[in-house]
Every structure is written in C-alpha cells, then in structure tokens.
C-alpha cells in the first residue's frame, strides 16, 4: 500500500477534522451518484477521496465510526441471522384485481373519511424484498426483513453493502432517529448480466430478480452480497421522533431530503383519475428497469390514516392493484431442445410470433419433460401464452378444442442433440443433462471457466480469445490448451508474439494450481468452489475421487445424494476420464500436497474487536480463513477466540461473559507464526 499521495497529519486534531470533512464530501457524492443519478465528479476523483479517508482511518483507527463510508462491507461472516422485533409491525397490503374492487375500496374510504374526493398517491409495487431500516441519531443501526410482521431477521451487514442505502442521514433533514420501510430489488439489466456471468462460471442462474434478491440477502458473507447489483426504494416513514407531517407526500419529500432513495410517485384527486392513470401505465410498466407486481394506492392525508386505521393484516388507507397478466393464443410450430452451457437440456416451444406487453414473443421455455406431460403439450397445438411479472413467457395451457388430429406428441431425447452422448437425470432432478464435458455446446464456456480466477486463474484467457480458439479448431477441450504452440497462436487475429508467449506461460503455470481449483475448473454439475475443496480434502487425489462409490461420497457431511450422483456419473463417462488422463499427462496437479493441508485453525471461530496494528480487519480475517478457520461478526457460545486490538468494543464484555478465550494482538500473531493454537 502506498500512502505517499496523501498527507497524513501528525496532529491528531487536524487528522480528525480532515477525516470528518472527507466523510461529508464522500457522502455527498455517494448520494449524487447512487441515489440521485447525477454524479458531479469523476469516478477517479471519488476513488481518491475514499482512498485518502482509508489511509487516514488506518493511521488513526480511533476515529473510525460505524457509519463511515469505509465501513460498508464487513469482512466477517454472519454467524446466524438473529431475529429482531420491529419498532412498528410490518403489515402487508390488501389487493384489488380489477377496477371494480378499487372503486369498492374508494367507497370504504369515503364512508369513514370526510372528503368527497380522496387524494391518492400512486406508487409502483416493487417486486423485491421488504425491509425495515432503523436509524439512531442519523446513523444506520439495524436493517431487518419483514419476517412474520412482528419480528424479522437482522440483515444489517448485508443491507449496508447496498450503495444507495445511506449509512448516515443527511444533516439537511430533521429526521434523526427514525424507521423506514422499503424494498430491496435487483434492476433487470443488472440481473441479466449477473445471470450470464453465473452461467459462464457453471453456476445455476437465478430464476428471477426477486429470488436473486431474497437469496442474496440471506447470504452469510457480506463480501459476496457486495458484489450483487442490489438497489433500494424507500416508501414509508414508519417511525420518527422529530418533525410532524400532514401528508404521505410530505414524508416522501423529507425522506428524500434525508438522502434516502425514493421512487417516482403521482398524486390524483378521485378514484377515476387514478384508474385512468393505471390504464395508461399498463403499457409503460414493461419498460421499467425493475419488476413490479402491481401498483400501490395510498390515501395522502395522514390524519385519514389514523381515522381509517388497520385490520390485523393491512392498513385500510392503502391497497395494491394487480394488473392482469397479458395473455394471447398462438400456435406451437415445433419443440426444440436447447443445450445450455452446463449441459442442461431444455425443451423450447417455437411459436407463431405474437406481440405481448411490448415485445415480440416467438419462443417459450417448456422447462422439462414433466411439464410437457402435465400440460399435455403437443407440436401443432394452439396454446395460451402469458407474460406475467416475469420476463420469460410461459405456456399456460393447451386449447384442446382447437386440435384437429394433426398434432404430434413430443418425446424428450435421451441423447444430447449436439454431441450424441447420453443425457441423464441426476438423482431426483427432473432435468436432463448432457454428461460429456467435451460437448461442443458447452466447450467455450467450459474452457473459459477453466481459466477463471477462482478456477485455474489463467490470465489472458478471456471470452474473445476462447471463442477464437474454439472456432479455429485449436481447442476442443481444456486439455488442448496445454498443447497450444506459439505458431498456432500467432495466427489468431490480434495475438502478437508477446501476448502469445505470455498466454502460453500462464497456461503452463496453471499446471501447478491446487486440486480444489482443478476440481472446480473441470465443471462437474453441482460442484462449486466449496464442494471442490471438500472433495479434495477428503479424497486427496483425483483417482480416489474417480474410483469412489456413491455411498462413499454420501458419507461426507456436506455431500448429499444429488452431488454424489453427479460426481459418479461425471466420471462414468469415458470421455471425461480421457480428459482427466490427458490433463494428468500434461502435468496438471491432481493431488493435494501435504503442506496445503496445514489447516491448524480448522473449525475454529474467531471474532475481532478493536484495531490491530499489523493487519486490517480484512487481512486478519483472511489469515484465519487461510488456515481453515472462520471469522464471524458477533460473539456467541460457538466463538473460540476473541482477538482484541486497540479500543475494543462491547464484544470484549460479551466474550468474558461467554468464557471465550481472549487473545491480544501479539498472541494472535504468535499463533499464526508458530501455527499452533495457544495453550489454555
Ligand atoms: S406500502 C402498511 N408501498 O409490498 C403497508 N409496499 O404486499 C406498507 N411493496 O410488504 C406497504 N412496493 O414489501 C408499500 N410502494 C410500496 C411498495 C410496497 C412494494 C411491498 C412491501 C410490502 C408488500 C405488501
């Protein structure tokens, strides 16, 4: 780390005031960029400010505050999601499925509230995960899921990673200690990009942005959460200690002033004007960059909220309107099989093209053979196609009255239509997969995955080059990489002598990667980085893995029948064994070496408090992980060690109460050095 670019004041007072100034500036630009979408400085200038703050905080750790912009991403895993009680219960919304029901709602409101024409605020109903954010003295203290309404799960470290969530409320606002409700979501474009990336890495894509959001918020490693493209809209001020508000719109405006991200809204007098707007919006809603599952109407007057009150489930002053899904009939011309990049066989209906909520639809996934049987879908059938909130159109049902006898039943192939290898179901899976790792449908992605940073880490082996290598016939599988020569490579467009030599060298170096990387890189279905490590640690070399039975795999704690069967059937395939043998012949490492197993902290849980001199929190946590231990954020009975630095927090008292072993920095460093656990 080089600090020379920034001046570190010798004087404590000066340092403190510069730190405060930087935080203020960073917060301002954060808001401009992530909340208002109107950046005022370049990314470079912004990064410089953050860098300077980091350097100063490292020199003066006593000035670090939990709402400092540097404290977004925690280095520690979440041990377990604790439940916390909401300040105010989180209710859900009553629903209306047509305009008639909206008018009935309006009548109910008018009966209890004096206005003849009610003023309504109309917002989108974002399809994500509802959260409550609690701020104390302007600082974000807690974030929780809705849970059962009364109690939710504490997901604070994960929510803090979302850049549009301010860690501190703006000084311009009177809001100080308050609770806000909002929806965490994933924008459509970012979701698509993320899924493409996952498919490339051989990971399962998420079904839709909502699932991706909910899954991500339940991830225990905030570092992973920080990489997911999450965003938030705040829609309710549910508790506040300062200020007084007369309308919902005024609360929205104040929340915006406080730096929270508020969505667009419209205000109308009378339900008829609302309905006209909903009608207009029906077409527009498909162009939004996030998914909605309807619109929300709220009575604007807050006094009316008190008068109207609540049922046990929902407020009487608001209602959600659900748009009917757009449906049309069309004909199935054919059913094709698509072979995915992980070998997954998916039947796809080829349709006579139709227009559905703004896009032309000519294909619909039929998911799997069970689905086809259940709905009795045949080639030539007239079907009802629907596009609901989801992006992917669905075949709802067959219009059987339209059959004329010419329709053809569809049989799912048991062989891969691309390479002819067998296509098998693994365990209880309803999906068939082509078992051949050398299948041309999978080849590009597999080679690229092999070179990924988390796999064999081959620098220079990017998408473009892999495409070229495959298209020119230079690589049909990952073993071919180790047979590339300089002359062949140089012939590829834009590959000069220097970059070709670099690449060859990087490929050669990759032979020495550890076994878990090799196992992950091969791309066995259901074998991610973690399972690859488990396999390597338990079996020590590839031959033991190839020869192991399903039962033997299942004996291992973390390996269930699905993974066991996947590994066994992968190595049953001759072509895959051949591939391993070729990699072996090229000298790719296929066994664990003794020293890699020096996991003397295996199973040990560490918590840190206060600032260490030698390492940042991140570095110390990484050290613990390197030797097989885990770093977690809070002290519990399961914690083995609390490492105490300068200015320790409340964790010290908690550890004493739990009887956790306490280490000072020197004892911690000695332990790393000697690779021995400290004696009691
Ligand atoms: S107001 C007291 N406004 O929908 C009720 N909710 O079905 C407060 N949602 O739990 C809810 N967008 O997670 C409200 N603009 C919006 C919303 C919204 C999405 C979610 C929220 C809530 C669920 C109710």
């Amino acid at each position: 780390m080089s600090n020379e670019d920034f001046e570190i004041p010798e004087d404590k007072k000066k340092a403190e005031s510069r730190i405060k100034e930087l935080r203020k500036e960073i917060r301002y630009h954060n808001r401009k960029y992530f909340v208002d979408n109107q950046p005022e400085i370049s990314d470079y200038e912004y990064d410089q400010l953050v860098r300077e703050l980091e350097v100063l905080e490292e020199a003066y750790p006593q000035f670090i505050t939990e709402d400092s912009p540097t404290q977004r991403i925690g280095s520690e895993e979440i041990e377990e999601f604790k439940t916390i009680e909401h300040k105010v219960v989180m209710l859900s919304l009553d629903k209306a499925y047509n305009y008639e029901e909206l008018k009935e709602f309006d009548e109910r409101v008018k009966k209890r509230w004096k206005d003849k024409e009610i003023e309504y605020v109309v917002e989108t109903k974002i399809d994500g995960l509802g959260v409550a954010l609690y701020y104390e003295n302007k600082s974000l203290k807690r974030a929780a899921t809705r849970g059962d309404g009364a109690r939710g799960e504490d997901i604070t470290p994960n929510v803090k990673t979302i850049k549009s969530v301010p860690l501190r409320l703006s000084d311009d606002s009177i809001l100080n200690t308050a609770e806000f409700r909002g929806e965490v979501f994933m924008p459509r474009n970012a979701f698509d990009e993320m899924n493409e990336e996952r498919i490339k890495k051989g990971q399962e894509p998420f079904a839709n942005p909502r699932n991706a959001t909910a899954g991500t918020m339940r991830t225990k490693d905030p570092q992973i959460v920080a990489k997911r493209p999450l965003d938030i809209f705040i829609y309710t001020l549910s508790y506040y200690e300062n200020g007084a508000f007369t309308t919902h719109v005024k609360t929205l405006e104040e929340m915006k002033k406080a730096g929270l991200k508020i969505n667009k809204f419209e205000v109308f007098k009378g339900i008829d004007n609302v309905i006209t707007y909903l009608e207009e919006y029906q077409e527009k809603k498909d162009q939004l960059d996030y998914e909605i599952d309807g619109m929300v109407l709220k009575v604007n007057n807050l006094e009316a909220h008190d008068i109207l009150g609540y049922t046990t489930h929902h407020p009487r002053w608001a209602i959600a309107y659900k748009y009917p899904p757009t449906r049309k009939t069309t004909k199935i011309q054919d059913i094709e099989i698509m072979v995915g990049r992980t070998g997954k066989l998916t039947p796809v209906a080829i349709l006579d093209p139709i227009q559905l909520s703004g896009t032309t639809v000519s294909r619909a996934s039929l998911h799997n053979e069970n689905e086809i049987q259940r709905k009795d879908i045949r080639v030539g059938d007239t079907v009802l196609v629907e596009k609901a909130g989801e992006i992917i159109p669905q075949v709802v049902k067959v219009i059987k009255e339209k059959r004329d006898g010419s329709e053809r039943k569809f049989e799912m192939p048991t062989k891969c239509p691309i390479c002819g290898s067998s296509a098998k179901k693994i365990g209880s899976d309803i999906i068939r997969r082509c078992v051949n790792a050398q299948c041309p449908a999978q080849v590009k992605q597999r080679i690229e995955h092999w070179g990924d940073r988390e796999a064999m880490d081959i620098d220079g082996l990017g998408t473009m080059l892999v495409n070229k290598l495959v298209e020119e016939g230079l690589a049909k599988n990952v073993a071919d990489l180790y047979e590339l020569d300089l002359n062949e490579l140089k012939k590829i467009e834009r590959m000069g002598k220097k970059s070709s030599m670099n690449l060859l060298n990087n490929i050669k170096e990759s032979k020495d990667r550890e076994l878990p990387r090799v196992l992950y890189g091969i791309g066995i279905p259901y074998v991610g980085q973690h399972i690859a490590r488990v396999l390597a640690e338990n079996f020590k070399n590839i031959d033991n893995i190839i020869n192991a039975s399903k039962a033997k795999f299942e004996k291992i704690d973390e390996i269930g029948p699905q993974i066991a069967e996947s590994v066994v059937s992968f190595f049953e395939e001759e072509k895959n064994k051949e591939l391993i043998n070729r990699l072996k012949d090229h000298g790719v490492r296929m066994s664990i070496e003794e020293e890699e197993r020096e996991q003397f902290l295996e199973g040990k849980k560490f918590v840190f408090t206060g600032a260490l001199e030698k390492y940042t929190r991140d570095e110390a946590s990484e050290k613990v992980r390197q030797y097989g231990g885990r770093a977690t954020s809070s002290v519990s009975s399961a914690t083995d060690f609390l490492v105490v630095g300068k200015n320790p927090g409340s964790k010290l008292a908690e550890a004493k109460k739990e009887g956790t072993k306490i280490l000072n920095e020197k004892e911690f460093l000695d332990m790393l050095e000697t690779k021995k656990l400290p004696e009691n």
Side-chain angles (χ1 to χ4, degrees):
M1 205 183 298
S2 103
N3 298 347
E4 63 259 27
D5 303 342
F6 307 110
E7 191 201 334
I8 302 180
E10 291 282 337
D11 182 65
K12 252 193 190 173
K13 281 240 148 53
K14 268 198 192 135
E16 191 181 9
S17 92
R18 178 67 183 146
I19 284 176
K20 284 191 175 154
E21 192 176 277
L22 281 165
R23 279 189 196 139
K24 207 169 160 192
E25 230 176 302
I26 294 168
R27 277 189 195 115
Y28 174 80
H29 292 298
N30 233 352
R31 174 174 175 175
K32 282 281 149 203
Y33 191 94
F34 293 107
V35 180
D36 302 341
N37 257 327
Q38 292 169 327
E40 289 178 359
I41 57 173
S42 70
D43 291 1
Y44 176 76
E45 285 166 300
Y46 176 80
D47 290 343
Q48 286 298 101
L49 292 173
V50 175
R51 241 352 256 142
E52 184 178 354
L53 179 60
E54 279 172 354
V55 168
L56 288 183
E57 284 185 350
E58 208 164 310
Y60 293 95
Q62 66 268 42
F63 296 139
I64 299 179
T65 56
E66 59 180 359
D67 61 10
S68 170
T70 58
Q71 304 300 303
R72 270 202 187 272
I73 308 171
S75 55
E76 294 149 336
E77 269 179 50
I78 299 167
E79 178 111 353
E80 56 171 344
F81 293 102
K82 299 205 172 89
T83 48
I84 47 182
E85 204 159 323
H86 296 302
K87 269 240 169 258
V88 181
V89 281
M90 281 177 93
L91 297 177
S92 71
L93 289 166
D94 199 7
K95 298 181 187 85
Y97 292 93
N98 51 52
Y99 299 144
E100 214 37 61
E101 288 172 6
L102 281 184
K103 285 184 179 158
E104 284 163 20
F105 163 76
D106 182 56
E107 288 304 324
R108 288 199 296 274
V109 172
K110 281 196 286 204
K111 227 185 199 165
R112 290 181 181 238
W113 179 245
K114 57 194 182 197
D115 290 352
K116 289 204 181 57
E117 260 193 334
I118 305 290
E119 193 163 73
Y120 289 109
V121 183
V122 183
E123 303 168 359
T124 51
K125 187 167 187 295
I126 301 129
D127 200 9
L129 184 76
V131 293
L133 308 182
Y134 179 69
Y135 288 75
E136 213 169 78
N137 296 323
K138 294 209 183 279
S139 242
L140 176 61
K141 282 284 176 238
R142 282 196 302 276
T145 60
R146 174 160 174 252
D148 64 6
R151 303 167 68 85
E153 279 180 325
D154 181 351
I155 50 168
T156 314
N158 288 348
V159 169
K160 277 177 106 173
T161 68
I162 304 171
K163 304 217 181 53
S164 44
V165 171
L167 298 185
R168 194 176 169 78
L169 300 177
S170 157
D171 290 332
D172 308 341
S173 163
I174 48 166
L175 293 172
N176 205 353
T177 292
E179 194 195 63
F180 308 97
R181 302 280 160 84
E183 199 85 356
V184 175
F185 66 97
M186 216 176 261
R188 273 184 185 159
N189 278 329
F191 168 80
D192 291 341
E193 272 171 35
M194 179 191 72
N195 256 357
E196 263 170 45
E197 206 48 44
R198 288 180 72 81
I199 293 167
K200 252 194 228 162
K201 290 189 179 151
Q203 297 166 324
E204 270 304 305
F206 286 105
N208 55 51
R210 212 199 73 78
N211 283 6
T213 305
T216 302
M217 290 324 265
R218 297 208 84 264
T219 303
K220 290 191 168 164
D221 184 352
Q223 310 249 358
I224 294 177
V225 179
K227 288 187 192 139
R228 303 265 170 89
L230 294 168
D231 205 339
I232 196 166
F233 276 127
I234 303 293
Y235 47 67
T236 301
L237 173 59
S238 46
Y239 170 87
Y240 55 96
E241 291 183 358
N242 307 72
F245 303 95
T246 52
T247 64
H248 177 58
V249 169
K250 292 217 160 93
T251 64
L252 290 172
E253 283 164 357
E254 190 61 34
M255 293 193 291
K256 188 174 164 66
K257 212 169 170 191
L260 295 157
K261 189 158 171 174
I262 309 299
N263 203 357
K264 283 197 292 274
F265 58 86
E266 300 284 340
V267 184
F268 299 99
K269 252 194 184 340
I271 197 74
D272 291 335
N273 290 321
V274 172
I275 291 173
T276 310
Y277 175 69
L278 294 177
E279 189 98 43
E280 282 166 19
Y281 209 76
Q282 175 137 16
E283 286 300 312
K284 283 196 213 146
K285 71 183 184 358
D286 300 311
Q287 267 109 54
L288 295 171
D289 190 32
Y290 47 86
E291 295 200 344
I292 64 169
D293 65 341
M295 304 293 273
V296 186
L297 276 63
K298 294 175 183 169
V299 173
N300 193 18
N301 190 317
L302 291 183
E303 203 190 325
H305 288 202
D306 289 338
I307 303 287
L308 289 159
Y310 301 81
T311 72
T312 45
H313 302 291
H314 45 74
R316 290 204 188 87
W317 44 262
I319 196 160
Y321 171 70
K322 300 274 198 175
Y323 282 108
T326 6
R327 292 177 163 190
K328 263 185 194 165
T329 56
T330 184
K331 211 167 173 163
I332 298 186
Q333 297 171 349
D334 200 0
I335 295 177
E336 281 182 3
I337 298 294
M338 248 176 41
V339 184
R341 293 176 271 201
T342 52
K344 199 158 124 181
L345 266 57
T346 309
V348 179
I350 309 300
L351 308 168
D352 284 343
I354 37 165
Q355 288 296 118
L356 259 189
S357 35
T359 53
T360 308
V361 172
S362 55
R363 298 162 75 86
S365 169
L366 299 174
H367 305 291
N368 54 59
E369 49 200 297
N370 291 14
E371 185 81 359
I372 296 180
Q373 264 175 15
R374 195 170 60 78
K375 291 184 178 157
D376 186 20
I377 297 171
R378 305 179 190 177
V379 175
D381 264 340
T382 300
V383 288
L384 190 61
V385 178
E386 165 179 309
K387 217 170 87 174
E390 258 106 288
I391 317 156
I392 312 155
Q394 308 286 328
V395 171
V396 183
K397 61 170 189 176
V398 174
I399 317 279
K400 296 211 171 123
E401 305 81 70
K402 295 259 172 129
R403 281 188 178 159
D404 63 9
S406 68
E407 297 76 17
R408 189 160 48 78
K409 279 202 173 173
F410 174 77
E411 290 266 347
M412 192 71 182
T414 51
K415 290 203 163 16
C416 169
I418 307 285
C419 75
S421 303
S422 59
K424 286 191 191 162
K425 295 181 180 181
I426 300 170
S428 57
D429 219 341
I430 40 173
I431 286 159
R432 279 180 195 277
R433 281 173 201 272
C434 165
V435 293
N436 175 16
Q438 306 193 42
C439 173
Q442 306 174 44
V443 142
K444 285 180 183 171
Q445 263 59 42
R446 283 187 174 272
I447 297 180
E448 198 177 333
H449 170 71
W450 179 257
D452 267 352
R453 219 156 60 116
E454 294 81 9
M456 299 299 268
D457 194 12
I458 303 173
D459 214 18
L461 195 66
T463 315
M464 300 265 269
L465 182 65
V466 171
N467 286 348
K468 281 269 182 306
L469 289 175
V470 174
E471 281 153 21
E472 304 274 324
L474 294 177
K476 290 193 198 63
N477 53 52
V478 296
D480 288 346
L481 293 174
Y482 298 89
E483 287 170 19
L484 288 173
D485 73 32
L486 193 59
N487 287 328
E488 282 175 336
L489 269 183
K490 275 196 317 199
K491 279 187 218 142
I492 289 182
E493 210 184 311
R494 275 190 288 176
M495 281 296 279
K497 186 168 172 199
K498 185 146 178 267
S499 45
S500 301
M501 279 180 31
N502 279 342
L503 179 69
L504 287 176
N505 196 42
N506 296 342
I507 292 174
K508 195 168 140 220
E509 272 184 4
S510 76
K511 292 181 187 178
D512 223 26
R513 302 278 184 260
E514 303 109 36
L515 183 60
R517 284 172 172 271
V518 179
L519 289 174
Y520 172 62
I522 296 169
I524 305 165
Y526 303 109
V527 178
Q529 278 172 276
H530 177 69
I531 295 299
R533 207 170 310 123
V534 171
L535 287 172
E537 276 161 15
N538 281 280
F539 290 91
K540 318 295 183 219
N541 66 48
I542 194 88
D543 293 319
N544 290 341
I545 296 175
I546 294 178
N547 296 324
S549 64
K550 197 176 164 221
K552 194 150 183 203
F553 286 115
E554 282 187 52
K555 281 218 184 79
I556 298 165
D557 240 5
E558 286 168 275
I559 297 186
Q562 191 96 348
I563 301 174
E565 186 160 338
S566 175
V567 179
V568 170
S569 80
F570 185 87
F571 289 114
E572 264 168 15
E573 186 67 24
E574 272 318 309
K575 288 195 183 107
N576 295 341
K577 275 192 277 198
E578 213 176 271
L579 186 73
I580 298 291
N581 281 332
R582 279 185 61 208
L583 288 168
K584 244 192 218 168
D585 290 345
H586 286 299
V588 173
R589 177 128 57 112
M590 292 288 173
S591 61
I592 262 193
E593 295 210 336
E594 276 315 308
E595 68 204 23
E596 280 173 30
R597 276 188 280 138
E598 200 173 30
Q599 299 271 300
F600 77 106
L601 296 182
E602 176 126 31
K604 298 285 181 229
K605 291 189 181 142
F606 284 75
V607 173
F608 294 92
T609 182
L612 300 181
E613 297 206 328
K614 173 147 182 201
Y615 295 126
T616 64
R617 192 66 70 82
D618 279 351
E619 288 163 353
S621 305
E622 179 55 34
K623 285 278 171 208
V624 166
R625 273 197 288 274
Q626 247 174 39
Y627 293 115
R630 285 176 59 192
T632 59
S633 55
S634 53
V635 174
S636 73
S637 58
T639 311
D640 295 288
F641 296 102
L642 178 78
V643 181
V644 180
K646 250 198 216 152
N647 301 323
S650 59
K651 289 177 195 169
L652 182 55
E654 282 162 34
K656 282 186 179 153
K657 213 169 77 192
E658 292 284 354
T660 311
K661 174 120 182 106
I662 294 168
L663 302 178
N664 61 29
E665 176 158 3
K666 179 164 183 308
E667 288 166 325
F668 176 66
L669 295 177
D670 285 349
M671 176 190 80
L672 293 181
E673 170 116 45
T674 58
K675 310 218 174 1
K676 276 206 192 83
L677 290 174
E679 289 174 8
N680 274 318

